[in-house]
Amino acid sequence: MKFFHLSDLHLGVKLLRRDLLADQAYVLEQVISLAQARKPDAVVIAGDIYDKAVPPAEAVALFDWFLTALREKIPQCSIMIISGNHDSAPRLNCFRSVLDREKVYMIGLPPQRPGEKIANVCLKDSWGMVVFHLLPFIRPAMVRQAVLEEGEEGPLSYEQTLRRLLAQEQLDPAARHVLVSHQFYLPAGKSAKEIERMDSEIQMVGNIDAVPAELLAPFDYAALGHIHKPMTVGEKRFRYCGTPLAVSVSEAGQQKAVLEVELREKGNITVTPLTLTPLRPVQILRGSLEEVLCQSCEAYVSVVLTDPEDLEVMDLQQRLRAAFPYLLEIRREGEKRRLMQEEAPLQEQLSPLSLCRQFLGELTWQEERLLADVIHTVEEGEQK
């Protein structure tokens, strides 16, 4: 059994206000070509299809094109998709029964009522059955009724909730089991602060969403989404594949890939990263103005200037823009304040997030991501 493991497409995201739809289409074309060449039995996307609960029409059109092309190029392949914390779960859950008939399993909603179980997709190869357990992103309140014990009151933690949901799965010991999940899993002995997180990730205050990776132990492989940097979680068979494209400056220099997972007989697993090449890489250039100007390129560039003296801001912006047509920002060494960031269009300047920034003043990136999560949740509720 061979399948591709992808996650965190974040279609519609902006990189410091730079539109990335062309870059995302460029990478997705590579995924389609790889799928056509290597013919996986399944393509698994572990959440965060879109960057916002209400994505722009262009992002929806891009995902429609991607799914259509996958189906045309590898018609026998099963496509499995779960919602992430950035997605609108009810929207992704639409037309589920119709899509199932086309072997496109788009699971937006987790179990919510007593007796409901995690959605399963069963495939078969020469070694027997492979069961994919498709668990969208959950908050404890979302699935409370599905895991609540008789007479129990009070809120449940993320760990309690995930532990109970996964314990309800009846795993056939003869079959191979793949969990597809979009949560924050911690390796044994690690604290949340030890896990490197990217600026593009929404992090919960106090890392209350962290759950121990020991919950993954019953599964043969865990196809995980949510963390944007490729990493394993304790064991090589439990993996975050990371984003297929850098969506923040903090991801500069990361080698992005789609993971090709091969399951043979039980316990025999091979994972091969298939490299994805960006249309424009993200780079951080650090040095004096003259040193930086010598590195002219067409990458997305964040410039950190080390000149000891103050420079005339308008002049340096013009010179850097001429050398770097996709310049993202200019900073001074040791300062958080930006000397320049690409200007947003008027409608973005007047967005709810921008208005909140103006009211609250300077925010850390953690505070800004938390604020964005709240606004997205409110927008999602308004659209229901």
Side-chain angles (χ1 to χ4, degrees):
M1 179 70 60
K2 181 195 297 183
F3 65 90
F4 279 8
H5 171 194
L6 285 160
S7 77
D8 295 273
L9 307 184
H10 286 277
L11 301 181
V13 71
K14 293 184 185 296
L15 176 60
L16 291 182
R17 297 172 180 164
R18 285 274 189 185
D19 190 290
L20 292 181
L21 279 172
D23 303 77
Q24 291 173 324
Y26 186 80
V27 166
L28 291 179
E29 281 183 352
Q30 294 174 57
V31 175
I32 294 165
S33 296
L34 286 168
Q36 185 177 16
R38 304 183 75 90
K39 295 179 172 52
D41 301 293
V43 173
V44 172
I45 308 177
D48 279 355
I49 309 306
Y50 301 112
D51 190 60
K52 293 184 178 181
V54 185
E58 296 82 1
V60 177
L62 178 58
F63 190 54
D64 176 68
W65 166 82
F66 176 57
L67 288 187
T68 302
L70 274 180
R71 174 54 67 235
E72 289 176 351
K73 301 298 184 183
I74 43 173
Q76 300 307 312
C77 175
S78 295
I79 301 172
M80 306 178 202
I81 303 160
I82 62 170
S83 63
N85 57 304
H86 280 254
D87 297 311
S88 168
R91 280 188 176 81
L92 255 65
N93 215 61
C94 283
F95 313 115
R96 185 162 150 181
S97 59
V98 174
L99 291 172
D100 283 359
R101 298 176 206 149
E102 301 300 320
K103 297 196 295 184
V104 177
Y105 306 95
M106 187 139 45
I107 313 300
L109 294 171
Q112 293 183 297
R113 290 181 288 273
E116 288 186 347
K117 299 293 180 64
I118 296 171
N120 288 181
V121 174
C122 298
L123 302 180
K124 195 172 183 179
D125 63 9
S126 57
W127 283 285
M129 194 69 68
V130 178
V131 183
F132 291 83
H133 305 258
L134 308 180
L135 179 60
F137 174 76
I138 65 106
R139 293 183 176 89
M142 296 167 63
V143 298
R144 177 179 169 78
Q145 296 305 315
V147 299
L148 202 62
E149 296 177 355
E150 188 175 351
E152 187 175 23
E153 297 181 358
L156 298 174
S157 68
Y158 276 82
E159 179 179 349
Q160 288 173 310
T161 303
L162 264 296
R163 192 177 293 277
R164 292 184 188 184
L165 270 178
L166 296 178
Q168 292 176 358
E169 295 295 280
Q170 297 178 349
L171 305 185
D172 178 357
R176 289 153 293 163
H177 298 271
V178 177
L179 175 67
V180 184
S181 179
H182 191 96
Q183 302 288 155
F184 181 20
Y185 291 95
L186 279 178
K190 293 279 189 179
S191 70
K193 293 180 180 179
E194 295 177 87
I195 306 300
E196 184 182 8
R197 306 291 295 275
M198 302 296 102
D199 293 353
S200 50
E201 299 174 33
I202 291 177
Q203 300 183 41
M204 292 195 178
V205 176
N207 292 300
I208 61 171
D209 58 333
V211 295
E214 67 181 61
L215 299 181
L216 305 174
F219 298 91
D220 296 275
Y221 183 84
L224 305 176
H226 193 44
I227 304 298
H228 288 184
K229 180 180 180 179
M231 61 178 282
T232 58
V233 185
E235 298 186 41
K236 291 183 179 179
R237 61 196 178 103
F238 306 144
R239 289 181 177 252
Y240 288 102
C241 60
T243 54
L245 176 78
V247 292
S248 68
V249 173
S250 61
E251 296 171 60
Q254 288 182 13
Q255 180 60 70
K256 300 298 187 178
V258 55
L259 298 182
E260 181 183 71
V261 183
E262 291 190 70
L263 303 178
R264 298 180 181 87
E265 70 276 14
K266 196 169 179 71
N268 187 353
I269 303 171
T270 303
V271 181
T272 306
L274 305 177
T275 301
L276 298 172
T277 303
L279 179 62
R280 301 177 190 89
V282 177
Q283 296 182 9
I284 301 174
L285 300 182
R286 181 177 278 102
S288 68
L289 177 60
E290 296 306 321
E291 290 171 339
V292 169
L293 287 172
C294 291
Q295 303 176 62
S296 175
C297 65
E298 294 198 356
Y300 289 119
V301 170
S302 171
V303 170
V304 182
L305 295 175
T306 59
D307 298 86
E309 71 279 359
D310 286 336
L311 300 169
E312 203 285 307
V313 174
M314 292 303 296
D315 176 62
L316 75 88
Q317 285 189 24
Q318 291 173 2
R319 294 176 68 187
L320 285 169
R321 281 197 174 106
F324 306 103
Y326 296 96
L327 180 66
L328 296 173
E329 61 177 355
I330 307 169
R331 292 179 181 271
R332 286 188 62 87
E333 185 76 79
E335 294 184 9
K336 292 184 178 180
R337 180 178 60 86
R338 293 185 177 94
L339 298 178
M340 186 286 293
Q341 178 176 308
E342 283 301 306
E343 294 182 359
L346 180 60
Q347 62 269 27
E348 188 173 331
Q349 293 174 9
L350 300 178
S351 70
L353 182 57
S354 298
L355 291 172
C356 288
R357 284 198 200 103
Q358 292 176 18
F359 180 76
L360 296 171
E362 187 172 349
L363 301 171
T364 66
W365 64 264
Q366 294 100 329
E367 292 169 337
E368 186 160 318
R369 285 293 169 182
L370 179 60
L371 177 61
D373 190 30
V374 171
I375 290 172
H376 293 163
T377 302
V378 171
E379 290 176 338
E380 180 180 342
E382 290 176 346
Q383 294 293 324
K384 290 180 181 178

